[in-house]
């Protein structure tokens, strides 16, 4: 299972006492304020007084876990805490003909617009894709895509798309620097070199000038890939309206709806717990929704599960150690469940 695959098998959960009840202290450093969300009245019509409002969270530094996300007011079970658009996303190679090349929404063949073999769900997505696609379509990606396909790799595709965004001027080269990187061994770095050379060669052959590619060094490639390795979200779509989170999660699992991967800013600041109080879902496209799994008190830390929470304790410990480099000390793991 890829890092941060958050469609949880909720039916396998057993409720545990919360270990998040300690409020944040005033000496924590606030790092980030999310993009405002719009509050719409019950009648569905916005009034002059219903302007943008910030989500009920803040990001702060803690001594034990570094960055963490805390509730600034009580949040009810099932409430949407905030939404997030990806910094960069890319469809999986197996789904590339069935989803929008920009937003990853499943394609309706009747309404889809096409461009050089890829499809977009709308003219708006086709226009929005120009931040990377005007550069990307100049190059021949056959060798790079074959490398990813034969090696079973997906994260280099995100690096490719980000590189095209930087070249087009749509994103700074250091946009992911704030995210925590994975620890890479020398052997892992050596394995990444082939992907770097294939990426750079494709752009050089497309006559992308050196002045636009000065950032694209082996160091940049490995640094970005190191951050993507532990911050990438696997996008699981569950189209439709569901009455509760259990139905939503079950629908995603039954549909085997993985369509791609994405990197987000604020969701990457959530810490892990094997019995989380927060869940991330995708309804129609790569826009993420963070929802409360239960009632959350003001000051409580919000946590998500980085892996399939229905796995055994030993399996979870192994996956978290190998994939994320830490030993989980949540109540479930400490009890051996």
């Amino acid at each position: 299972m890829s890092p941060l695959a958050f469609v949880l098998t909720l039916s396998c959960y057993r409720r545990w006492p919360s270990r998040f009840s300690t409020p944040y202290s005033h000496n924590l450093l606030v790092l980030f304020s999310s993009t405002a969300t719009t509050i719409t009245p019950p009648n569905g019509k916005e009034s002059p007084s219903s302007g943008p409002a910030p989500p009920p969270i803040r990001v702060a530094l803690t001594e034990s876990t570094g960055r963490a996300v805390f509730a600034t007011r009580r949040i009810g079970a099932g409430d949407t805490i905030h939404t997030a658009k990806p910094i960069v996303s890319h469809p999986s190679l197996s789904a590339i003909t069935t989803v929008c090349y920009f937003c990853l929404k499943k394609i309706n063949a009747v309404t889809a617009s096409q461009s050089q073999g890829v499809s977009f769900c709308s003219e708006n997505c086709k226009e929005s894709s120009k931040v990377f696609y005007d550069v990307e379509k100049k190059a021949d990606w056959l060798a790079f895509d074959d490398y990813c396909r034969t090696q079973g790799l997906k994260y280099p595709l995100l690096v490719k798309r980000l590189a095209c965004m930087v070249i087009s001027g749509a994103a700074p080269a250091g946009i992911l620097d704030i995210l925590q990187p994975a620890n890479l061994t020398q052997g892992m770095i050596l394995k990444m070199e082939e992907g770097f050379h294939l990426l750079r060669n494709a752009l050089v052959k497309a006559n992308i000038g050196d002045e636009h590619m000065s950032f694209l060094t082996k160091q940049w490639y490995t640094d970005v890939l190191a951050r993507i390795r532990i911050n990438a979200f696997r996008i699981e779509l569950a189209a439709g309206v569901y009455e509760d989170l259990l139905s939503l999660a079950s629908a995603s699992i039954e549909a085997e709806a993985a369509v791609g991967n994405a990197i987000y800013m604020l969701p990457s600041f959530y810490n892990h717990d094997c019995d989380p109080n927060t869940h991330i879902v995708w309804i129609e496209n790569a826009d993420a929704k963070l929802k409360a799994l239960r009632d959350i008190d003001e000051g409580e830390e919000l946590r998500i599960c980085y892996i399939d929470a229905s796995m055994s304790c030993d399996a979870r410990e192994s996956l978290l150690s190998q994939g994320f480099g830490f030993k989980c000390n949540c109540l479930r793991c400490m009890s051996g469940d």
Side-chain angles (χ1 to χ4, degrees):
M1 188 173 185
S2 65
L4 300 187
F6 294 123
V7 178
L8 307 178
T9 310
L10 298 180
S11 58
C12 296
Y13 279 4
R14 286 189 291 170
R15 296 310 319 155
W16 286 79
S18 171
R19 72 183 186 89
F20 309 128
S21 57
T22 303
Y24 54 76
S25 62
H26 291 293
N27 62 354
L28 293 174
L29 174 64
V30 177
L31 293 177
F32 185 82
S33 295
S34 173
T35 302
T37 57
T38 300
I39 300 173
T40 304
N43 61 12
K45 298 179 180 180
E46 293 187 24
S47 66
S49 61
S50 61
I57 56 173
R58 75 173 191 170
V59 178
L61 286 177
T62 67
E63 294 182 359
S64 58
T65 59
R67 285 190 296 258
V69 181
F70 297 90
T72 58
R73 61 165 172 79
R74 184 184 179 281
I75 302 171
D79 286 354
T80 298
I81 301 167
H82 67 89
T83 60
K85 290 186 176 296
I87 299 171
V88 59
S89 62
H90 197 286
S92 60
L93 292 177
S94 61
I96 208 161
T97 61
T98 60
V99 300
C100 176
Y101 201 54
F102 181 76
C103 76
L104 309 190
K105 181 178 180 179
K106 289 188 176 180
I107 288 291
N108 181 334
V110 176
T111 60
S113 60
Q114 293 189 332
S115 180
Q116 296 187 348
V118 299
S119 298
F120 299 93
C121 67
S122 66
E123 287 299 319
N124 183 58
C125 277
K126 186 175 182 179
E127 184 66 23
S128 298
S129 73
K130 289 181 179 296
V131 298
F132 61 85
Y133 196 57
D134 280 353
V135 174
E136 186 178 316
K137 65 186 180 184
K138 294 177 181 179
D140 180 356
W141 297 105
L142 180 61
F144 185 84
D145 288 350
D146 282 348
Y147 158 75
C148 292
R149 187 178 291 106
T150 56
Q151 299 293 322
L153 303 174
K154 50 205 170 189
Y155 301 141
L157 297 168
L158 291 170
V159 183
K160 177 192 77 172
R161 180 158 290 185
L162 180 59
C164 291
M165 291 169 64
V166 175
I167 290 169
S168 73
I175 192 171
L176 301 186
D177 287 355
I178 193 173
L179 301 181
Q180 179 71 23
N183 293 321
L184 302 179
T185 65
Q186 189 59 37
M188 295 166 69
I189 294 173
L190 289 175
K191 288 182 179 179
M192 293 176 179
E193 289 186 5
E194 182 179 359
F196 163 71
H197 290 301
L198 288 170
L199 171 62
R200 186 170 180 85
N201 288 344
L203 293 169
V204 169
K205 290 179 180 178
N207 296 316
I208 305 297
D210 290 341
E211 67 276 15
H212 297 297
M213 292 204 303
S214 60
F215 73 94
L216 188 51
T217 63
K218 187 189 302 182
Q219 185 68 51
W220 181 87
Y221 183 90
T222 55
D223 283 352
V224 169
L225 203 49
R227 285 168 169 78
I228 289 175
R229 281 177 64 90
I230 60 171
N231 291 287
F233 291 74
R234 178 181 173 181
I235 309 301
E236 306 266 2
L237 295 184
V241 177
Y242 298 89
E243 293 182 356
D244 54 45
L245 290 176
L246 176 59
S247 299
L248 179 61
S250 298
S252 296
I253 294 167
E254 291 172 3
E256 297 182 348
V259 295
N261 297 274
I263 294 290
Y264 304 86
M265 188 60 70
L266 183 52
S268 295
F269 295 160
Y270 282 71
N271 288 318
H272 166 82
D273 197 281
C274 294
D275 185 37
N277 55 10
T278 306
H279 178 56
I280 187 168
V281 296
W282 296 270
I283 307 299
E284 292 184 334
N285 55 33
D287 292 350
K289 294 181 181 292
L290 278 291
K291 301 180 76 69
L293 284 170
R294 58 168 176 77
D295 291 342
I296 298 171
D297 294 329
E298 179 182 351
E300 192 173 336
E301 183 179 351
L302 305 178
R303 294 205 176 197
I304 54 181
C305 187
Y306 291 3
I307 57 176
D308 181 354
S310 68
M311 294 188 299
S312 69
C313 182
D314 289 343
R316 297 196 312 271
E317 181 178 357
S318 176
L319 189 55
L320 290 169
S321 176
Q322 294 178 19
F324 299 91
F326 69 86
K327 178 178 175 61
C328 183
N329 293 315
C330 73
L331 290 180
R332 283 191 67 193
C333 290
M334 292 177 68
S335 69
D337 178 67

